[in-house]
Amino acid sequence: MQSLDKIISLLETRNLFLTGGAGVGKSYLTKELIRYYHTAYQGVIVLGSTGISAVNVGGQTIHSFFVFGIADNLEALSKQDRYNKNRLKELCKLLKSTDLIIIDEISMVSADLMEMILYRLRQCKYTGRLMVVGDFYQLPPVQKRGNGRGQSSVFDQGLYAFESSAWEAFDFVTVELTKIKRTSNEYFMQILEKVRRGEADSDVIDFLESLRHNAFEKEEDATVLFGTNAQADRLNLQKVAAVKRQEIDLPAILKVKNPAVDERRIENWQKNLPIIPDLKLKEGIPVIFTTNKWGSYHNGERAVVEHIDKESIVVEKRGRLVKVDRFAFELKVPALSPDGMLEDEVIATLEQFPLRPAYAITIHKSQGMSIENLVCNVDTIFADSQFYVALSRAIDPATLKIAYSRGDFAAYIRRAISVSDLVKRFYEETETIRLE
């Protein structure tokens, strides 16, 4: 793969920032890079800025790995470190055997957190490379109430990672993936890129307005994206209840391999998995896959339940029957082998069917999905980038509809897709290598 070879080559001498919009293959390329490092017997640590992003990349959170605890700035961290000397020694041992650290969803990392990461790497005399992955046009840093900067909302933007002196110190080479893999419709790609960059020109508004009146053959079977859990849960419950079949309980199976692990860590990990722990299904209802299995199904693909037993579920997908087994999710932490090599230690596994009722899902839970027949209900979008994330789940605009009922749609669009001038300026002024 040409893009992978280029990334590997750049990482030989530079730290790297991998960016690009939704559906361009950032996650896929990152996973291929991790596979390459494992094959080459090079130590790689994979981190996420949030619990969900950590699960998506098969790693752990920044705070957990770097022993940041509840500290949110360098001053608080230096005070807290006095009580964590043993854990810090273990961290530094791990980092000595690490060739590459990957951090996913870097856009959600604040400037303060970026400074803490640099401090910790210098403290441990880290000599490997750092690759950060994400899109600053999406998912800005979240500031908690009472952070001392005047913000009052949990969705207020703080200082971006690229504004920190640490960002400058890391001296990233920037690589942007430009080809959207999720759709082959060129005009839709152009519209999505404009929405990503906050450009609400007449072409964008006219195109999005046309989607409000879109009617397609399987609209009644479409998955509806909502902004809130309450809306999605309500529609799923109503639709599932209307199917007159027996409801079957399918609880997840948790196996803890290391009993010394903090229970809260296991609970937080479970919470962020793309599954329903106490899954309830009926034969005859549509379901949506929540993860990928090469050659069998992809995240966001739709099917209909044909038969259920405790060990497997048979679904009808595109005219053929497919047996779906429980998917085993693993909670892994980096550890040193007896010969000093970095390896993953599995401390818990959770087995569950990677399915959920397909009538409705939240925009938040749809991240990473490619959905064929889609209705985006945007009445209750409440966070930056949600509109873009929702639209970019679609495979084909011919089977995409926007539902909006709250007044002036053009005015709403201009509000919903606005982006930070800081982000625009950052991308405009950053020298970038562009790859398809």
Coordinates of all heavy atoms in Angstrom, one line a residue, residues 337-408:
S337 N 7.8 -8.4 28.2 CA 8.0 -9.8 28.3 C 9.3 -10.1 29.1 O 10.1 -9.1 29.3 CB 8.2 -10.4 26.9 OG 9.3 -9.9 26.2
P338 N 9.6 -11.3 29.5 CA 10.8 -11.6 30.3 C 12.1 -11.1 29.5 O 13.1 -10.8 30.2 CB 10.7 -13.1 30.4 CG 9.3 -13.4 30.4 CD 8.7 -12.5 29.4
D339 N 12.1 -11.1 28.2 CA 13.3 -10.7 27.5 C 13.3 -9.2 27.1 O 14.1 -8.7 26.3 CB 13.4 -11.5 26.2 CG 12.2 -11.4 25.3 OD1 11.3 -10.8 25.6 OD2 12.3 -12.0 24.2
G340 N 12.3 -8.5 27.8 CA 12.3 -7.0 27.6 C 11.6 -6.5 26.4 O 11.7 -5.3 26.1
M341 N 10.9 -7.3 25.7 CA 10.1 -6.9 24.5 C 8.8 -6.4 24.9 O 8.1 -6.9 25.8 CB 10.0 -8.1 23.5 CG 11.3 -8.6 22.9 SD 12.0 -7.4 21.8 CE 10.9 -7.6 20.4
L342 N 8.3 -5.4 24.2 CA 7.0 -4.8 24.5 C 5.9 -5.7 23.8 O 6.0 -6.1 22.7 CB 6.9 -3.4 23.9 CG 5.6 -2.6 24.2 CD1 5.6 -2.3 25.7 CD2 5.6 -1.3 23.4
E343 N 4.9 -6.1 24.6 CA 3.8 -6.9 24.1 C 2.5 -6.5 24.8 O 2.5 -5.9 25.8 CB 4.1 -8.4 24.3 CG 4.3 -8.8 25.8 CD 4.7 -10.2 26.0 OE1 5.2 -10.9 25.0 OE2 4.6 -10.7 27.1
D344 N 1.4 -7.0 24.3 CA 0.1 -6.7 24.8 C -0.3 -7.8 25.8 O -0.2 -9.0 25.5 CB -1.0 -6.6 23.8 CG -0.8 -5.3 23.0 OD1 -0.4 -4.3 23.5 OD2 -1.2 -5.3 21.8
E345 N -0.8 -7.4 27.0 CA -1.3 -8.4 28.0 C -2.8 -8.2 28.0 O -3.3 -7.1 28.2 CB -0.7 -8.1 29.4 CG -1.3 -9.0 30.4 CD -1.0 -8.6 31.8 OE1 -0.2 -7.7 32.0 OE2 -1.6 -9.1 32.8
V346 N -3.5 -9.3 27.7 CA -5.0 -9.3 27.8 C -5.5 -9.4 29.2 O -5.2 -10.4 29.8 CB -5.6 -10.4 26.9 CG1 -7.1 -10.3 27.0 CG2 -5.2 -10.2 25.4
I347 N -6.1 -8.4 29.7 CA -6.6 -8.5 31.1 C -8.1 -8.8 31.3 O -8.5 -9.2 32.4 CB -6.2 -7.2 31.9 CG1 -6.8 -6.0 31.3 CG2 -4.7 -7.1 32.0 CD1 -6.5 -4.7 32.1
A348 N -8.8 -8.7 30.2 CA -10.2 -9.0 30.3 C -10.7 -9.2 28.8 O -10.2 -8.6 27.9 CB -11.0 -7.9 31.0
T349 N -11.8 -10.0 28.7 CA -12.4 -10.2 27.4 C -13.9 -10.1 27.6 O -14.4 -10.4 28.7 CB -12.1 -11.5 26.7 OG1 -12.6 -12.6 27.5 CG2 -10.7 -11.7 26.5
L350 N -14.6 -9.6 26.6 CA -16.1 -9.5 26.7 C -16.6 -10.0 25.3 O -16.2 -9.5 24.3 CB -16.6 -8.1 27.0 CG -18.1 -8.0 27.2 CD1 -18.5 -7.1 28.3 CD2 -18.8 -7.6 25.9
E351 N -17.5 -11.0 25.4 CA -18.0 -11.6 24.2 C -19.5 -11.2 24.0 O -20.3 -11.4 25.0 CB -17.9 -13.1 24.2 CG -16.5 -13.6 24.3 CD -16.4 -15.1 24.5 OE1 -17.4 -15.8 24.4 OE2 -15.2 -15.6 24.7
Q352 N -19.8 -10.6 22.9 CA -21.2 -10.2 22.6 C -21.4 -10.2 21.1 O -20.5 -9.9 20.3 CB -21.5 -8.9 23.3 CG -22.9 -8.4 23.1 CD -24.0 -9.4 23.6 OE1 -24.1 -10.5 23.1 NE2 -24.8 -8.9 24.6
F353 N -22.7 -10.4 20.7 CA -23.0 -10.3 19.3 C -22.9 -8.8 18.9 O -23.5 -7.9 19.6 CB -24.5 -10.8 19.1 CG -24.6 -12.2 19.4 CD1 -25.3 -12.6 20.5 CD2 -24.1 -13.2 18.5 CE1 -25.4 -14.0 20.8 CE2 -24.2 -14.5 18.8 CZ -24.9 -15.0 20.0
P354 N -22.2 -8.5 17.8 CA -22.0 -7.1 17.4 C -23.2 -6.6 16.6 O -23.1 -6.2 15.4 CB -20.7 -7.2 16.5 CG -20.8 -8.5 15.9 CD -21.5 -9.4 16.9
L355 N -24.4 -6.6 17.2 CA -25.6 -6.2 16.6 C -26.4 -5.3 17.5 O -26.3 -5.4 18.7 CB -26.4 -7.5 16.2 CG -25.8 -8.5 15.3 CD1 -26.7 -9.8 15.3 CD2 -25.8 -8.0 13.9
R356 N -27.2 -4.5 16.9 CA -28.2 -3.7 17.6 C -29.4 -3.5 16.7 O -29.2 -3.5 15.5 CB -27.7 -2.4 18.1 CG -27.2 -1.4 17.1 CD -26.9 0.0 17.7 NE -25.9 -0.1 18.7 CZ -26.1 0.4 20.0 NH1 -27.2 0.9 20.4 NH2 -25.1 0.4 20.8
P357 N -30.6 -3.2 17.2 CA -31.7 -2.9 16.3 C -31.4 -1.8 15.4 O -30.8 -0.8 15.8 CB -32.9 -2.6 17.3 CG -32.5 -3.3 18.6 CD -31.0 -3.3 18.6
A358 N -31.8 -1.9 14.2 CA -31.3 -1.0 13.1 C -32.3 0.2 12.8 O -32.1 0.9 11.9 CB -31.1 -1.7 11.8
Y359 N -33.4 0.2 13.6 CA -34.4 1.3 13.3 C -33.8 2.7 13.6 O -34.0 3.6 12.9 CB -35.6 1.1 14.2 CG -36.3 -0.2 14.0 CD1 -36.3 -1.2 15.0 CD2 -37.0 -0.5 12.8 CE1 -36.9 -2.4 14.8 CE2 -37.7 -1.7 12.6 CZ -37.6 -2.7 13.6 OH -38.2 -3.9 13.5
A360 N -33.0 2.8 14.7 CA -32.4 4.1 15.0 C -31.1 3.9 15.8 O -30.9 2.9 16.4 CB -33.4 4.9 15.9
I361 N -30.3 4.9 15.7 CA -29.0 5.0 16.4 C -28.6 6.4 16.6 O -29.0 7.3 15.8 CB -27.9 4.2 15.6 CG1 -26.7 4.0 16.5 CG2 -27.6 4.9 14.3 CD1 -25.7 3.0 15.8
T362 N -27.8 6.7 17.6 CA -27.4 8.1 17.8 C -26.2 8.4 16.9 O -25.5 7.5 16.5 CB -26.9 8.4 19.2 OG1 -25.8 7.5 19.5 CG2 -28.0 8.1 20.2
I363 N -26.0 9.7 16.6 CA -24.9 10.1 15.7 C -23.6 9.7 16.4 O -22.7 9.3 15.8 CB -25.0 11.7 15.5 CG1 -26.2 12.0 14.7 CG2 -23.7 12.2 14.8 CD1 -26.6 13.5 14.7
H364 N -23.6 9.9 17.7 CA -22.4 9.5 18.5 C -22.0 8.1 18.3 O -20.8 7.8 18.1 CB -22.7 9.8 20.0 CG -21.5 9.6 20.9 ND1 -20.3 10.3 20.8 CD2 -21.3 8.7 21.9 CE1 -19.5 9.8 21.7 NE2 -20.1 8.9 22.4
K365 N -23.0 7.2 18.4 CA -22.7 5.7 18.3 C -22.4 5.3 16.8 O -22.0 4.2 16.6 CB -23.8 4.9 18.9 CG -23.8 5.0 20.4 CD -24.8 4.0 21.0 CE -24.8 4.0 22.5 NZ -25.4 5.2 23.1
S366 N -22.8 6.2 15.9 CA -22.6 5.8 14.5 C -21.2 6.0 13.9 O -20.9 5.7 12.8 CB -23.6 6.6 13.6 OG -23.2 8.0 13.4
Q367 N -20.4 6.6 14.7 CA -19.0 7.0 14.2 C -18.3 5.7 13.8 O -18.3 4.7 14.5 CB -18.2 7.7 15.3 CG -18.8 9.1 15.5 CD -17.8 10.1 16.1 OE1 -16.6 10.0 15.8 NE2 -18.2 10.8 17.1
G368 N -17.7 5.8 12.6 CA -17.1 4.6 12.0 C -18.0 3.8 11.1 O -17.5 2.9 10.4
M369 N -19.3 4.0 11.2 CA -20.2 3.3 10.4 C -20.3 3.8 8.9 O -20.2 5.0 8.7 CB -21.6 3.3 11.0 CG -21.7 2.5 12.3 SD -23.4 2.4 12.9 CE -23.2 1.1 14.2
S370 N -20.6 2.9 8.0 CA -21.0 3.2 6.6 C -22.4 2.7 6.4 O -22.6 1.4 6.4 CB -20.0 2.6 5.6 OG -18.7 3.0 5.9
I371 N -23.4 3.5 6.3 CA -24.8 3.1 6.3 C -25.4 3.4 4.9 O -25.3 4.5 4.4 CB -25.6 3.8 7.4 CG1 -24.9 3.6 8.7 CG2 -27.0 3.4 7.4 CD1 -25.5 4.4 9.9
E372 N -26.1 2.4 4.4 CA -26.6 2.4 3.0 C -27.8 3.3 2.9 O -28.0 4.2 2.1 CB -26.8 1.0 2.5 CG -27.1 1.0 1.0 CD -27.0 -0.4 0.4 OE1 -26.7 -1.3 1.1 OE2 -27.3 -0.5 -0.8
N373 N -28.9 2.9 3.7 CA -30.1 3.6 3.7 C -30.3 4.4 5.0 O -30.4 3.8 6.0 CB -31.3 2.7 3.5 CG -31.2 1.9 2.2 OD1 -31.2 2.4 1.1 ND2 -31.1 0.6 2.4
L374 N -30.2 5.8 4.9 CA -30.0 6.6 6.0 C -30.9 7.8 6.1 O -31.1 8.5 5.0 CB -28.6 7.0 6.0 CG -28.1 7.9 7.2 CD1 -28.1 7.1 8.5 CD2 -26.7 8.4 6.9
V375 N -31.6 8.0 7.2 CA -32.3 9.3 7.5 C -31.6 10.0 8.6 O -31.5 9.4 9.7 CB -33.8 9.0 7.8 CG1 -34.5 10.3 8.2 CG2 -34.5 8.4 6.6
C376 N -31.1 11.2 8.4 CA -30.5 12.0 9.4 C -31.5 13.0 10.0 O -31.8 14.0 9.4 CB -29.3 12.8 8.8 SG -28.0 11.7 8.3
N377 N -31.9 12.7 11.2 CA -32.8 13.6 11.9 C -31.9 14.6 12.7 O -31.2 14.3 13.6 CB -33.7 12.9 12.9 CG -34.7 13.8 13.6 OD1 -34.3 14.8 14.3 ND2 -36.0 13.6 13.4
V378 N -31.9 15.9 12.2 CA -30.9 16.9 12.8 C -31.6 17.9 13.7 O -31.1 19.0 13.9 CB -30.1 17.5 11.6 CG1 -29.3 16.5 10.9 CG2 -31.1 18.2 10.6
D379 N -32.8 17.6 14.1 CA -33.6 18.5 15.0 C -32.8 18.8 16.3 O -33.0 19.9 16.9 CB -35.0 18.0 15.3 CG -35.9 18.2 14.2 OD1 -35.6 19.1 13.3 OD2 -37.0 17.6 14.2
T380 N -32.1 17.8 16.8 CA -31.5 18.0 18.2 C -30.0 17.8 18.2 O -29.4 17.3 19.1 CB -32.1 16.9 19.1 OG1 -31.9 15.6 18.6 CG2 -33.6 17.2 19.4
I381 N -29.4 18.3 17.1 CA -27.9 18.3 17.1 C -27.5 19.4 18.1 O -27.9 20.6 18.0 CB -27.4 18.6 15.7 CG1 -27.5 17.3 14.9 CG2 -25.9 19.1 15.7 CD1 -27.0 17.3 13.5
F382 N -26.5 19.1 19.0 CA -26.2 20.0 20.0 C -24.7 20.2 20.2 O -24.2 20.9 21.1 CB -26.8 19.6 21.4 CG -26.4 18.2 21.7 CD1 -25.2 17.9 22.4 CD2 -27.2 17.1 21.4 CE1 -24.9 16.6 22.8 CE2 -26.9 15.8 21.7 CZ -25.7 15.6 22.4
A383 N -23.9 19.6 19.3 CA -22.4 19.7 19.5 C -21.8 20.0 18.2 O -22.3 19.5 17.1 CB -21.8 18.4 20.1
D384 N -20.6 20.6 18.2 CA -19.9 20.9 17.0 C -19.6 19.6 16.2 O -19.3 18.6 16.8 CB -18.5 21.6 17.3 CG -18.7 23.0 17.9 OD1 -19.7 23.6 17.6 OD2 -17.8 23.5 18.6
S385 N -19.7 19.7 14.9 CA -19.3 18.6 14.0 C -20.4 17.5 13.9 O -20.2 16.6 13.1 CB -18.0 18.0 14.3 OG -18.1 17.0 15.4
Q386 N -21.4 17.5 14.7 CA -22.4 16.4 14.7 C -23.1 16.3 13.3 O -23.3 15.2 12.8 CB -23.4 16.5 15.8 CG -23.0 16.0 17.1 CD -24.2 15.8 18.0 OE1 -25.1 16.7 18.1 NE2 -24.3 14.8 18.8
F387 N -23.4 17.5 12.7 CA -24.0 17.5 11.4 C -23.2 16.8 10.4 O -23.6 16.0 9.6 CB -24.4 18.9 11.0 CG -25.2 19.0 9.7 CD1 -26.5 18.9 9.7 CD2 -24.5 19.2 8.5 CE1 -27.3 19.0 8.6 CE2 -25.2 19.3 7.3 CZ -26.6 19.2 7.4
Y388 N -21.9 17.2 10.4 CA -20.9 16.6 9.4 C -20.8 15.1 9.6 O -20.8 14.3 8.7 CB -19.6 17.3 9.5 CG -18.5 16.6 8.7 CD1 -18.5 16.6 7.3 CD2 -17.5 15.9 9.4 CE1 -17.5 16.0 6.6 CE2 -16.5 15.3 8.7 CZ -16.5 15.3 7.3 OH -15.5 14.7 6.6
V389 N -20.6 14.7 10.9 CA -20.5 13.3 11.2 C -21.7 12.5 10.7 O -21.6 11.4 10.1 CB -20.3 13.0 12.7 CG1 -20.4 11.6 13.1 CG2 -18.9 13.6 13.2
A390 N -22.9 13.0 11.0 CA -24.1 12.4 10.5 C -24.2 12.2 9.0 O -24.4 11.1 8.5 CB -25.3 13.2 11.0
L391 N -23.9 13.2 8.3 CA -24.0 13.2 6.8 C -22.9 12.2 6.3 O -23.2 11.5 5.3 CB -23.7 14.6 6.2 CG -24.8 15.6 6.0 CD1 -24.3 16.7 5.2 CD2 -26.0 15.0 5.4
S392 N -21.8 12.2 6.9 CA -20.7 11.4 6.3 C -20.8 9.9 6.6 O -19.9 9.2 6.2 CB -19.3 12.0 6.8 OG -19.3 11.9 8.2
R393 N -21.8 9.5 7.3 CA -22.1 8.1 7.5 C -22.6 7.5 6.2 O -22.6 6.3 6.0 CB -23.1 7.8 8.6 CG -22.8 8.2 9.9 CD -21.5 7.8 10.4 NE -20.5 8.9 10.2 CZ -19.2 8.7 10.2 NH1 -18.7 7.5 10.4 NH2 -18.4 9.7 10.0
A394 N -23.2 8.3 5.3 CA -23.9 7.8 4.1 C -23.0 7.3 3.0 O -21.9 7.8 2.8 CB -24.8 9.0 3.5
I395 N -23.4 6.2 2.4 CA -22.7 5.6 1.3 C -23.0 6.3 0.0 O -22.2 6.5 -0.9 CB -22.9 4.1 1.2 CG1 -22.3 3.4 2.5 CG2 -22.4 3.5 0.0 CD1 -22.7 2.0 2.6
D396 N -24.3 6.6 -0.2 CA -24.8 7.2 -1.4 C -25.9 8.2 -1.1 O -26.9 8.0 -0.4 CB -25.5 6.0 -2.2 CG -25.9 6.4 -3.6 OD1 -25.9 7.6 -3.9 OD2 -26.2 5.5 -4.4
P397 N -25.7 9.5 -1.7 CA -26.8 10.5 -1.4 C -28.1 10.1 -2.0 O -29.1 10.7 -1.6 CB -26.2 11.7 -2.1 CG -25.2 11.2 -3.1 CD -24.7 10.0 -2.5
A398 N -28.2 9.2 -2.9 CA -29.5 8.7 -3.5 C -30.3 8.0 -2.4 O -31.5 7.9 -2.5 CB -29.3 7.8 -4.7
T399 N -29.6 7.5 -1.4 CA -30.4 6.8 -0.3 C -30.1 7.5 1.0 O -29.9 6.8 2.1 CB -30.0 5.3 -0.2 OG1 -28.5 5.2 -0.1 CG2 -30.4 4.5 -1.4
L400 N -30.1 8.8 1.0 CA -29.9 9.7 2.2 C -30.9 10.7 2.2 O -31.2 11.4 1.2 CB -28.5 10.3 2.1 CG -28.2 11.5 3.1 CD1 -28.2 10.9 4.5 CD2 -26.8 12.1 2.8
K401 N -31.5 10.9 3.4 CA -32.5 11.9 3.6 C -32.2 12.7 4.9 O -31.8 12.1 5.9 CB -33.9 11.3 3.7 CG -35.1 12.3 3.8 CD -36.4 11.7 3.7 CE -37.5 12.7 3.6 NZ -38.8 12.1 3.4
I402 N -32.5 14.0 4.8 CA -32.3 14.9 6.0 C -33.7 15.2 6.5 O -34.6 15.7 5.8 CB -31.6 16.2 5.7 CG1 -30.1 15.9 5.3 CG2 -31.6 17.1 6.9 CD1 -29.3 17.1 4.9
A403 N -34.0 15.0 7.8 CA -35.2 15.3 8.5 C -35.0 16.5 9.4 O -34.1 16.5 10.3 CB -35.8 14.2 9.3
Y404 N -35.7 17.6 9.1 CA -35.5 18.8 9.9 C -36.9 19.6 10.0 O -37.5 19.8 9.0 CB -34.4 19.8 9.4 CG -34.3 21.1 10.2 CD1 -33.6 21.0 11.4 CD2 -34.8 22.3 9.7 CE1 -33.5 22.2 12.1 CE2 -34.6 23.4 10.4 CZ -34.0 23.4 11.6 OH -33.8 24.5 12.4
S405 N -37.3 20.0 11.2 CA -38.6 20.6 11.3 C -38.7 21.8 12.2 O -39.7 22.1 12.8 CB -39.6 19.5 11.9 OG -39.2 19.1 13.1
R406 N -37.5 22.5 12.3 CA -37.4 23.6 13.3 C -37.2 24.9 12.7 O -36.5 25.7 13.3 CB -36.4 23.2 14.3 CG -36.7 22.0 15.2 CD -35.9 22.0 16.4 NE -36.4 21.0 17.4 CZ -36.0 20.8 18.6 NH1 -35.0 21.6 19.1 NH2 -36.5 19.9 19.4
G407 N -37.8 25.2 11.6 CA -37.7 26.6 11.1 C -36.8 26.7 9.8 O -36.8 25.8 9.0
D408 N -36.1 27.8 9.7 CA -35.4 28.2 8.6 C -34.2 27.2 8.4 O -33.2 27.3 9.1 CB -34.9 29.6 8.7 CG -34.2 30.2 7.5 OD1 -33.6 29.4 6.7 OD2 -34.2 31.4 7.3

